[in-house]
Amino acid sequence: MAIKKSELYSSLWKGCDELRGGMDASQYKDYVLVLLFVKYVSDKYAGQPDALIEVPEGGSFQDMLALKGDKEIGDKINKIIARLAEANDLKGVIDVADFNDADKLGKGKDMQDRLSNLVSIFDSPGLNFSNNRAEGDDILGDAYEYLMRHFATESGKSKGQFYTPAEVSRIMAKVIGINATKSQSQTIYDPTCGSGSLLLKAADESKTGVTIYGQEMDNATAALAKMNMILHNNPTAEIWQDNTLSSPHFKDNGGNLKQHDYVVANPPFSTKAWSNGFDPANDLYERFADGIPPAKNGDYAFLLHIIRSLKSTGKGAVILPHGVLFRGNAEGGIRKSIIRKGYIKGIIGLPANLFYGTGIPACIIVVDKENAAGRTGLFMIDASKGFVKDGNKNRLRHQDIHKIVDVFNKQVEIAKYSRMVSVAEIEANDYNLNIPRYIDSSESEDLQDIAAHLKGGIPNADVDSMTAYWQVFPTLQKQLFDIGARAGYSAMKVAAAQVKPTIFAHPEFVSYTQSVSKLFQGWKANNIAQLKGISQESHPKQLIEQLSEDLLHTFDTVKLIDQYDVYQHLMSYWSDIMQDDAYLITADGWQAGNDASNGLIPPQLIIARYFAAERDAIEQLESERDAISRQMEELDEEHGGEDGLLAEAKNDKGKLTKVSVSARLKDIKNDTDAVDERKQLNAYLALIEQESIASKKVKDAQKLLDAKVAAQYAKLSADEIKTLVVEDKWLTTLAADVQTELDRVSQALTGRIKQLAERYAEPLPQLASDVAALNAKVEAHLLKMGFAL
């Protein structure tokens, strides 16, 4: 039986984290990722002649496994890694971490146990990379991504900069159009590549493959990037370790900077020592023709390096702090120059606290040299509000990524979110690109109408603000509102309590809900065969892409419901449940197993389809038992107080039990003054007996049902399993998710109308009159009691 991917990666992280020892996550990642590397190349290349990576004798993961429990395990692992490094020109790359470091891994038995356990973690059937690419789904890539995200999260503010969140990387890859590559000879370059995560995500977006170049200043991080290129099947990628600004490595035959088709980068923000090691005023590569950045802020140094590193048809994306959009002086001059040259295609403002090295908000600057000459405007997106909290960081959701990419690539203008800003308007703003100058994303204030509070009526402006609803339900407005007594104001036709039933019963609302449900049913009909057709040859990642894009397209014309919200429901359910199910099916086929242990078919689905009568009978028995329990509670409530008839029957814990009640009855058996107490005690004792009998009935019925369910698992046919999983589990859940979006529409409309009705229900003079009348009543009552105000 296959293990769930989510369980595999979480157990991998948990095991690694427990074995960390005397290191923080930024150091420990070097050990874990080296082992991941050795495991991968051993699975994929060991025993293969002419393989891209040679796995020499005594240099494999199997050799590491043989060392479990060995007193010299640390030293011997170092030697295994050294053999692998020497055979593949990887010295200084995979042998950076010392597995015999007692300060980090412990001494003697501690090191022996820690390393033995660490090696064992990677000896999992779920981490078998021998058919990784043949399966079409990147087990390794997912494991790597999971580990890197956790390492970055745990590494702290100053040490997590080696990793660009995958969600941001995907946006950058999609907005530079790298999916349009024609040949693998086209190049992509990252001048501050870190661990290579951004480069890899961008390269993966290419349909043809691309040639990869990266440079990284930190030695250990550059080594990590080189490993990761091999781990992700890009062994020919060129990664160089050095300072990009002072010593750029990649040059053409003339000694000039090599120019690339695509560039992506997430450079360190606002670095102060950017010009160390060279004179920007006499730059050999002519990168600063548009101006020299400030001596203590290198943001524009990286941007200018990127622009210079692009071909005349090149496209790029770089993550920078928002300050580059509006800071003045030297940076203002550079910004003016590159805007006038048309290099900047657009700007995407991101939420704060996305990145691991900093909590400040950043933006993506999209560069496009190819269309620079004719550029008359910049496309701006304010995506700062689209995210979900994830621990101590914010994270972009699937819907946020898709919306940003769609809106940017199609240049769609959306109020409070995106717009095309002309260069003329930017010039009028002195080339300040601060996004709030051009996009007001603030929430509209709900203004109170003083005249309505004084004279009554509901302002027509408030009614008109719900135009989006009236366009879908054109006659509903007239059913809810009437012309008011004064110009510019309306009156409610129905009481506040009747707003919801009026909306729900309206033919246009009923028709709308039916049309939305029909759309989902259409999507279901289009895809159910594909879902039931999942096999061991299927590729889950391709499957979810097809399903989600079709769902997005299905809801793209629905008014009042955001198609991206519906899309997010599917993607969240995929991440939480469907993905694991799909991988179990591709690994084992449509097997239910002998019980619910694999989670593919929860017991409640079996019960609902095959044993509904038994379930209902148990619920009836539970109801009868609970009714007896309530009688006991009522009796205790009435007579169990301090002076109550049942008070003396309670045990030391203040509870009425069969033992304590029986003991009290025995004590007062011959007490002629305790007739009423004996009566209540006997009544309570009878209820205890009845509850015990009722509970046993429930327990016996549940036990019998559990046995039937367990037997049913073994009898299920493949078609029955498909019905249970696809129809009863997946599609039923997704249908309920779509219904939540319909509920959101009705709740928003109902809530707003009730709010307006209640807000202006009584004008101020009426309230004042009511208060005066109440005051008069109070004074009259006081006078009757002899008090005068």
Side-chain angles (χ1 to χ4, degrees):
M1 182 66 69
I3 186 173
K4 291 181 180 180
K5 291 185 77 175
S6 59
E7 291 177 2
L8 170 67
Y9 303 142
S10 61
S11 64
L12 182 62
W13 169 255
K14 185 179 179 183
C16 292
D17 198 40
E18 287 176 353
L19 296 171
R20 186 188 296 172
M23 293 173 281
D24 65 27
S26 64
Q27 296 171 307
Y28 195 57
K29 74 178 189 303
D30 300 329
Y31 289 85
V32 172
L33 294 174
V34 164
L35 287 183
L36 188 64
F37 177 86
V38 176
K39 178 69 165 71
Y40 171 72
V41 297
S42 298
D43 285 351
K44 195 162 183 67
Y45 299 118
Q48 292 186 21
D50 303 320
L52 287 170
I53 301 294
E54 179 189 346
V55 182
E57 186 175 346
S60 73
F61 183 75
Q62 290 303 316
D63 295 308
M64 289 185 176
L65 276 179
L67 296 175
K68 289 198 298 183
D70 192 307
K71 292 181 179 179
E72 298 179 10
I73 186 171
D75 181 56
K76 291 180 178 180
I77 285 179
N78 280 344
K79 289 174 180 175
I80 290 170
I81 294 169
R83 291 187 192 101
L84 186 61
E86 288 167 6
N88 296 282
D89 193 25
L90 290 173
K91 288 185 70 64
V93 176
I94 64 172
D95 54 359
V96 173
D98 180 4
F99 282 81
N100 202 35
D101 188 332
D103 291 336
K104 292 179 179 177
L105 294 164
K107 298 177 181 178
K109 190 72 165 57
D110 284 344
M111 178 187 288
Q112 179 183 329
D113 291 345
R114 180 167 283 118
L115 290 178
S116 295
N117 291 333
L118 185 56
V119 170
S120 296
I121 289 170
F122 289 89
D123 186 28
S124 164
L127 285 176
N128 184 346
F129 306 124
S130 57
N131 295 315
N132 188 38
R133 290 289 166 177
E135 292 175 358
D137 281 284
D138 196 357
I139 297 170
L140 175 75
D142 291 346
Y144 162 83
E145 193 67 45
Y146 191 95
L147 287 171
M148 290 301 283
R149 182 185 291 279
H150 280 76
F151 281 133
T153 301
E154 297 293 322
S155 290
K157 184 173 181 180
S158 64
K159 298 177 182 177
Q161 297 184 28
F162 56 80
Y163 176 73
T164 300
E167 298 85 5
V168 180
S169 299
R170 282 198 289 272
I171 291 172
M172 295 170 75
K174 290 177 183 293
V175 299
I176 62 175
I178 198 169
N179 62 323
T181 53
K182 301 288 194 299
S183 162
Q184 194 163 2
S185 64
Q186 290 179 270
T187 63
I188 184 167
Y189 166 58
D190 184 342
T192 57
C193 69
S195 64
S197 56
L198 172 55
L199 256 181
L200 288 164
K201 277 287 183 293
D204 278 348
E205 193 69 24
S206 167
K207 297 289 193 293
T208 61
V210 287
T211 301
I212 297 173
Y213 296 89
Q215 187 162 341
E216 167 59 36
M217 185 165 67
D218 181 76
N219 185 52
T221 307
L224 190 59
K226 291 177 185 178
M227 270 196 296
N228 291 336
M229 293 301 134
I230 298 171
L231 286 172
H232 288 79
N233 215 33
N234 291 291
T236 59
E238 290 192 45
I239 304 295
W240 190 260
Q241 186 271 312
D242 210 337
N243 185 321
T244 291
L245 294 179
S246 63
S247 305
H249 176 69
F250 301 108
K251 307 183 187 70
D252 60 22
N253 293 332
N256 299 310
L257 282 187
K258 180 176 177 62
Q259 294 189 310
H260 303 271
D261 298 284
Y262 302 95
V263 178
V264 290
N266 180 13
F269 289 176
S270 306
T271 182
K272 291 180 168 48
W274 68 271
S275 60
N276 284 1
F278 78 112
D279 179 8
N282 296 295
D283 182 49
L284 297 174
Y285 311 103
E286 301 176 348
R287 292 172 290 184
F288 306 110
D290 294 301
I292 297 175
K296 293 187 177 181
N297 194 320
D299 292 330
Y300 270 98
F302 287 108
L303 179 57
L304 292 171
H305 176 87
I306 287 165
I307 291 172
R308 185 64 177 165
S309 299
L310 282 168
K311 293 179 180 177
S312 60
T313 57
K315 296 170 177 62
V318 56
I319 300 166
L320 290 170
H322 276 272
V324 300
L325 303 178
F326 54 79
R327 291 194 297 251
N329 301 319
E331 291 180 309
I334 298 170
R335 186 170 58 247
K336 176 179 179 180
S337 179
I338 59 178
I339 290 172
R340 294 179 71 170
K341 288 180 179 179
Y343 289 153
I344 300 178
K345 179 181 181 179
I347 299 163
I348 301 167
L350 298 171
N353 204 27
L354 281 185
F355 299 95
Y356 294 96
T358 177
I360 67 172
C363 61
I364 299 173
I365 308 289
V366 184
V367 178
D368 177 11
K369 273 191 172 181
E370 184 175 19
N371 302 298
R375 182 156 287 120
T376 58
L378 276 66
F379 193 76
M380 291 188 179
I381 292 179
D382 184 348
S384 60
K385 296 182 179 178
F387 62 90
V388 66
K389 291 293 294 181
D390 184 13
N392 63 351
K393 304 301 293 183
N394 295 331
R395 180 167 53 82
L396 296 172
R397 299 164 294 181
H398 293 281
Q399 70 180 92
D400 303 318
I401 298 166
H402 212 305
K403 183 176 182 179
I404 290 170
V405 172
D406 285 350
V407 169
F408 190 89
N409 287 343
K410 296 173 185 176
Q411 308 275 280
V412 180
E413 293 194 319
I414 299 175
K416 295 184 175 294
Y417 186 77
S418 61
R419 66 175 285 233
M420 176 63 76
V421 183
S422 70
V423 172
E425 183 178 351
I426 292 168
E427 184 179 359
N429 278 283
D430 197 25
Y431 295 93
N432 186 316
L433 295 178
N434 198 21
I435 295 174
R437 281 188 177 234
Y438 307 98
I439 300 173
D440 178 10
S441 63
S442 61
E443 296 293 329
S444 299
E445 191 175 353
D446 184 15
L447 298 174
Q448 302 266 352
D449 189 299
I450 301 299
H453 279 300
L454 291 172
K455 299 180 180 180
I458 295 174
N460 286 348
D462 285 329
V463 177
D464 293 342
S465 70
M466 293 180 280
T467 299
Y469 294 99
W470 311 139
Q471 289 174 345
V472 180
F473 316 124
T475 65
L476 178 59
Q477 180 180 354
K478 292 182 179 179
Q479 191 166 339
L480 292 167
F481 297 99
D482 205 348
I483 297 172
R486 296 179 298 119
Y489 294 85
S490 296
M492 288 297 301
K493 272 188 176 181
V494 299
Q498 293 302 308
V499 169
K500 183 176 180 178
T502 300
I503 292 172
F504 276 57
H506 195 277
E508 289 167 353
F509 184 81
V510 172
S511 176
Y512 172 75
T513 59
Q514 289 174 343
S515 68
V516 173
S517 297
K518 186 177 179 181
L519 281 174
F520 178 77
Q521 292 302 319
W523 175 82
K524 172 181 171 180
N526 288 339
N527 292 284
I528 193 167
Q530 186 179 14
L531 288 168
K532 288 186 175 182
I534 297 174
S535 70
Q536 288 169 295
E537 286 73 45
S538 297
H539 304 316
K541 287 188 177 179
Q542 293 177 13
L543 172 67
I544 187 57
E545 184 175 355
Q546 294 164 8
L547 292 172
S548 60
E549 290 301 318
D550 188 34
L551 186 66
L552 199 62
H553 176 70
T554 298
F555 281 83
D556 64 355
T557 58
V558 178
K559 294 184 181 297
L560 303 180
I561 291 177
D562 188 333
Q563 66 187 111
Y564 295 101
D565 287 336
V566 179
Y567 167 83
Q568 182 63 37
H569 281 298
L570 172 58
M571 297 308 295
S572 293
Y573 187 53
W574 172 261
S575 298
D576 294 341
I577 303 294
M578 281 183 73
Q579 177 178 228
D580 277 338
D581 289 352
Y583 276 98
L584 286 175
I585 295 166
T586 56
D588 299 330
W590 292 90
Q591 294 184 24
N594 296 321
D595 53 34
S597 59
N598 71 352
L600 187 61
I601 306 176
Q604 59 266 30
L605 294 182
I606 299 280
I607 293 168
R609 184 163 282 275
Y610 297 101
F611 305 110
E614 289 88 338
R615 177 199 61 199
D616 294 345
I618 290 173
E619 289 176 354
Q620 178 59 37
L621 290 173
E622 288 174 334
S623 178
E624 292 169 3
R625 179 201 60 197
D626 294 343
I628 297 169
S629 298
R630 283 194 296 275
Q631 289 182 59
M632 295 169 67
E633 289 171 3
E634 289 167 4
L635 206 57
D636 188 8
E637 182 81 21
E638 185 177 356
H639 299 291
E642 189 175 340
D643 298 319
L645 295 170
L646 299 177
E648 295 297 326
K650 292 187 175 182
N651 62 17
D652 293 343
K653 296 181 179 179
K655 302 292 184 183
L656 290 165
T657 67
K658 183 177 181 179
V659 172
S660 66
V661 172
S662 299
R664 179 60 181 169
L665 276 169
K666 186 176 180 181
D667 289 343
I668 63 172
K669 182 179 179 179
N670 300 314
D671 189 342
T672 56
D673 295 328
V675 175
D676 289 338
E677 184 179 358
R678 278 196 297 272
K679 179 182 176 181
Q680 295 302 330
L681 287 170
N682 281 314
Y684 197 90
L685 194 61
L687 289 173
I688 289 176
E689 293 291 343
Q690 292 172 34
E691 185 189 42
S692 177
I693 293 168
S695 295
K696 187 175 187 306
K697 287 181 180 179
V698 171
K699 186 176 180 180
D700 290 345
Q702 187 63 56
K703 187 176 180 181
L704 184 60
L705 177 57
D706 291 343
K708 288 182 178 181
V709 170
Q712 189 66 35
Y713 275 103
K715 295 190 293 184
L716 292 172
S717 67
D719 285 341
E720 287 176 313
I721 295 170
K722 290 177 181 180
T723 297
L724 284 162
V725 174
V726 176
E727 296 184 38
D728 296 1
K729 185 180 182 182
W730 294 349
L731 294 175
T732 298
T733 301
L734 292 172
D737 288 338
V738 172
Q739 183 60 47
T740 63
E741 292 305 314
L742 280 169
D743 293 343
R744 187 184 299 177
V745 170
S746 62
Q747 289 163 4
L749 177 59
T750 300
R752 179 58 175 167
I753 293 172
K754 287 183 69 176
Q755 181 187 50
L756 292 174
E758 291 166 358
R759 176 181 292 173
Y760 300 114
E762 291 185 273
L764 186 61
Q766 180 63 48
L767 290 173
S769 175
D770 292 345
V771 169
L774 290 171
N775 279 334
K777 286 183 179 181
V778 170
E779 289 179 12
H781 285 303
L782 289 172
L783 281 171
K784 285 182 180 179
M785 292 185 288
F787 296 98
L789 294 178

